[in-house]
Amino acid sequence: MAQTTRTWRLGIDVGGTNTDAVIIDGDLNLVAATKSPTTEDVMGGIKAAMHEVVTQIGPEDAENIGFAMLGTTHCTNAIVERKRLNKVVALRIGAPATTAISCMADWPEELKSAMGVRDFIVHGGNEFDGREISELGEDEIRDVARTVREEGFESIAVTSVFSPVSDAHEKRAGAILREELGDEFPITLSSEIGSLGFLERENASILNAALHDVAQTTALSFEAALAAEGLHDVAVYLGQNDGTLMSVEYAKRYPIFTIACGPTNSIRGASFLTKEKDAVVVDIGGTTTDVGVLAHGFPRESMVAVEIGDVRTNFRMPDLVSVGLGGGSIVRKRDDGRVTVGPDSVGYKVTEEALCFGGSTLTATDIVVAKGLAAGVGDPALVADLDADLVDAAYKEIMRIIEDAVDAMKTSAGDVTVILVGGGSILAPSTLEGADPVLRPENFGVANAIGSAIAQVSGQIAKVFSLSETPRDQAISQSKERACAEAIEAGADPETVEVIDVEDIPMAYLGDALCIRVKAVGDLNL
């Protein structure tokens, strides 16, 4: 673990176009920043960005770095590309009640094939009120463990029906599997991943199990890259998709929580740079624009099921709208006279391909340079001859795309605070319909990496209680304790952990049931 005197932080965030890196000193001041093209293997761009910021501060100041934070797309890419996934056993606890619908019935075949997945259904599980459906099939579980050993499966996802109400069968199944396979064997319990919604929770758990080796390889590669830069004895954290961090060991258990951490890093960075706690954050990159909501200082979570790699899941995800607009978006005039912007883009090659940089492709960046709205970007003389009507029409289209995305995230008709971040935010005007004020903070271009560097550590719990068995106050108290314990396990300083959000939702269709969701956060354990 890093020494307490080494309080500087290296923050890196991987985007679709660029990989951003920053170094923050012990007083949370930005001392170095850079952008590097995201490479196909991802790690190449990370190493290049890291090398650049470490070079900027020099070897003497580099000795002050005690923490390194990485927001990465490794896990997302593995699912989308169907590569590097573990060979998974999906163990469902729910016979005979859950046999009508097969496991992964709606999954893409190529994804199932990439995971070499095999599913089993054993007896057990609970009703909505916590009553056992049947006795847990412990001998059946031991038979599954033998299959895992004999056929070389690499991880297991355990899903019991209504485990958010009672996780006893999942925990017992996990204990049996560890007796048979060893304490180090990767086992995912669905009650630790998702909430109500059996199939979606099962799907999320299977994906989490498939990502174990990806997370481990990512962490080891990042640590090796740090060592290659002379950064030894540095505490490493990975970004979570709620805008907080988790330790490497925690990330190996819950790699699925890294998915969509990039936009949430930008939202947290936007809050840090502006000191705003409630706003709509517009993060414009080279290819896409992500719009999210800053609520009480943290990204607003989605309340609906989310598809990942064409698989429907229900674990926590940020509430986002993504549109095909970025600095490299290609501008075209159609035969019918319409002017379009994107969704295709030249991406990180904008500094080579855009007209204002001497290239041959008309991009969104060229439009704002031609309008005189991007001082210091490219050469205005190279776009001075663009047709004025074309420039005006393209700029109006850029504004429409951004304003529509902001409107999609608003919950009321009034004006909202909008924060513009990301290197492509030069595209956005200083005024937007439905927004007041519009803020573009200093260092907006690397807000995502700043968000990674300054992030706190969190723990969340979502559980269903029967009020006839557990009074409401006691249920909330238990949930708070569990959320705080999760934050500490993820790497938070126990002295700083506090509960920031408590939500209790009556579930009338389950009788006297109450679903309680609690989030706790704390500072890094220095």
Side-chain angles (χ1 to χ4, degrees):
M1 178 62 70
Q3 301 171 16
T4 56
T5 55
R6 297 169 57 200
T7 57
W8 288 26
R9 309 179 186 196
L10 166 67
I12 297 179
D13 186 87
V14 181
T17 302
N18 289 305
T19 295
D20 296 353
V22 299
I23 294 175
I24 305 288
D25 69 16
D27 296 320
L28 301 184
N29 297 310
L30 182 68
V31 295
T34 193
K35 285 180 175 289
S36 181
T38 296
T39 54
E40 187 173 348
D41 66 346
V42 180
M43 194 52 68
I46 291 172
K47 291 177 180 177
M50 182 191 305
H51 178 73
E52 173 59 27
V53 288
V54 171
T55 300
Q56 286 181 25
I57 62 172
E60 185 174 336
D61 280 339
E63 291 294 322
N64 295 318
I65 298 174
F67 303 89
M69 295 78 168
L70 174 64
T72 178
T73 59
H74 278 89
C75 289
T76 304
N77 294 350
I79 294 172
V80 172
E81 297 170 3
R82 298 7 182 172
K83 295 179 180 178
R84 306 177 298 281
L85 300 171
N86 283 50
K87 187 178 179 183
V88 178
V89 158
L91 175 60
R92 179 189 292 182
I93 304 172
T98 64
T99 56
I101 301 177
S102 62
C103 182
M104 299 177 290
D106 60 346
W107 282 47
E109 285 299 325
E110 69 273 15
L111 180 55
K112 288 196 285 186
S113 297
M115 295 162 52
V117 70
R118 185 169 173 188
D119 61 284
F120 298 85
I121 300 179
V122 302
H123 284 80
N126 298 83
E127 300 283 3
F128 66 88
D129 58 1
R131 290 179 293 121
E132 281 192 356
I133 293 173
S134 62
E135 186 178 349
L136 181 64
E138 296 194 3
D139 290 340
E140 297 172 273
I141 294 171
R142 295 186 192 279
D143 287 340
V144 171
R146 279 192 287 273
T147 300
V148 169
R149 280 197 305 269
E150 293 168 0
E151 299 187 15
F153 287 95
E154 298 166 325
S155 59
I156 301 176
V158 181
T159 308
S160 181
V161 63
F162 279 108
S163 62
V165 177
S166 174
D167 59 5
H169 282 191
E170 280 192 1
K171 286 185 173 179
R172 177 56 186 155
I176 293 170
L177 291 168
R178 288 192 171 91
E179 288 174 13
E180 297 288 331
L181 301 170
D183 290 339
E184 299 303 314
F185 194 87
I187 298 171
T188 295
L189 303 184
S190 79
S191 56
E192 299 176 352
I193 299 293
S195 57
L196 287 173
F198 178 66
L199 294 177
E200 291 86 353
R201 175 162 43 86
E202 182 177 61
N203 289 346
S205 303
I206 295 169
L207 288 176
N208 187 75
L211 292 168
H212 177 271
D213 286 0
V214 173
Q216 181 162 283
T217 301
T218 299
L220 291 174
S221 298
F222 188 48
E223 290 171 342
L226 289 166
E229 284 295 329
L231 302 177
H232 302 284
D233 193 29
V234 173
V236 174
Y237 294 86
L238 270 63
Q240 297 196 70
N241 58 14
D242 64 349
T244 63
L245 301 169
M246 56 184 166
S247 66
V248 169
E249 288 306 313
Y250 195 84
K252 290 176 184 176
R253 286 174 55 194
Y254 308 115
I256 200 168
F257 289 157
T258 67
I259 292 176
C261 67
T264 59
N265 282 338
S266 294
I267 293 172
R268 287 285 288 140
S271 178
F272 175 79
L273 292 171
T274 62
K275 309 307 178 188
E276 295 286 339
K277 298 297 182 184
D278 298 280
V280 173
V281 178
V282 180
D283 179 14
I284 307 178
T287 303
T288 60
T289 294
D290 294 320
V291 182
V293 176
L294 183 65
H296 310 298
F298 286 87
R300 185 175 74 191
E301 289 184 24
S302 174
M303 292 292 106
V304 298
V306 176
E307 285 199 358
I308 300 172
D310 299 322
V311 175
R312 187 176 174 86
T313 69
N314 70 346
F315 76 105
R316 67 162 197 240
M317 284 284 283
D319 189 9
L320 298 171
V321 167
S322 295
V323 294
L325 172 67
S329 293
I330 298 174
V331 178
R332 295 183 177 89
K333 186 171 184 179
R334 303 294 182 180
D335 292 339
D336 60 3
R338 290 185 306 114
V339 174
T340 61
V341 181
D344 50 343
S345 170
V346 298
Y348 70 87
K349 291 185 177 180
V350 63
T351 54
E352 303 170 17
E353 300 288 338
L355 298 180
C356 64
F357 291 105
S360 58
T361 305
L362 180 60
T363 68
T365 298
D366 295 316
I367 299 303
V368 292
V369 170
K371 294 280 288 182
L373 301 174
V377 177
D379 183 355
L382 296 177
V383 291
D385 294 334
L386 286 177
D387 180 75
D389 290 338
L390 170 64
V391 171
D392 288 343
Y395 189 63
K396 286 179 181 177
E397 179 64 6
I398 290 170
M399 289 181 61
R400 182 197 66 77
I401 294 171
I402 295 172
E403 289 174 348
D404 285 354
V406 170
D407 281 344
M409 301 305 291
K410 292 168 63 175
T411 56
S412 63
D415 289 349
V416 296
T417 299
V418 169
I419 306 172
L420 303 173
V421 295
S425 65
I426 58 171
L427 302 182
S430 56
T431 59
L432 290 168
E433 186 175 346
D436 186 30
V438 176
L439 307 175
R440 198 187 332 254
E442 187 179 3
N443 300 314
F444 63 86
V446 289
N448 52 352
I450 290 173
S452 174
I454 58 87
Q456 293 175 292
V457 182
S458 74
Q460 291 194 67
I461 188 72
K463 184 171 174 59
V464 178
F465 293 86
S466 171
L467 296 181
S468 61
E469 297 180 5
T470 309
R472 177 178 178 275
D473 290 347
Q474 183 180 340
I476 291 176
S477 178
Q478 290 179 10
S479 297
K480 287 181 177 180
E481 289 178 7
R482 288 186 60 183
C484 290
E486 284 287 321
I488 293 168
E489 186 178 359
D493 180 353
E495 298 297 321
T496 66
V497 173
E498 61 178 339
V499 173
I500 64 166
D501 189 31
V502 178
E503 185 179 21
D504 57 323
I505 307 168
M507 310 189 76
Y509 66 97
L510 296 183
D512 63 350
L514 189 68
C515 180
I516 298 177
R517 296 160 55 95
V518 178
K519 181 173 182 175
V521 299
D523 295 334
L524 284 175
N525 191 341
L526 302 179

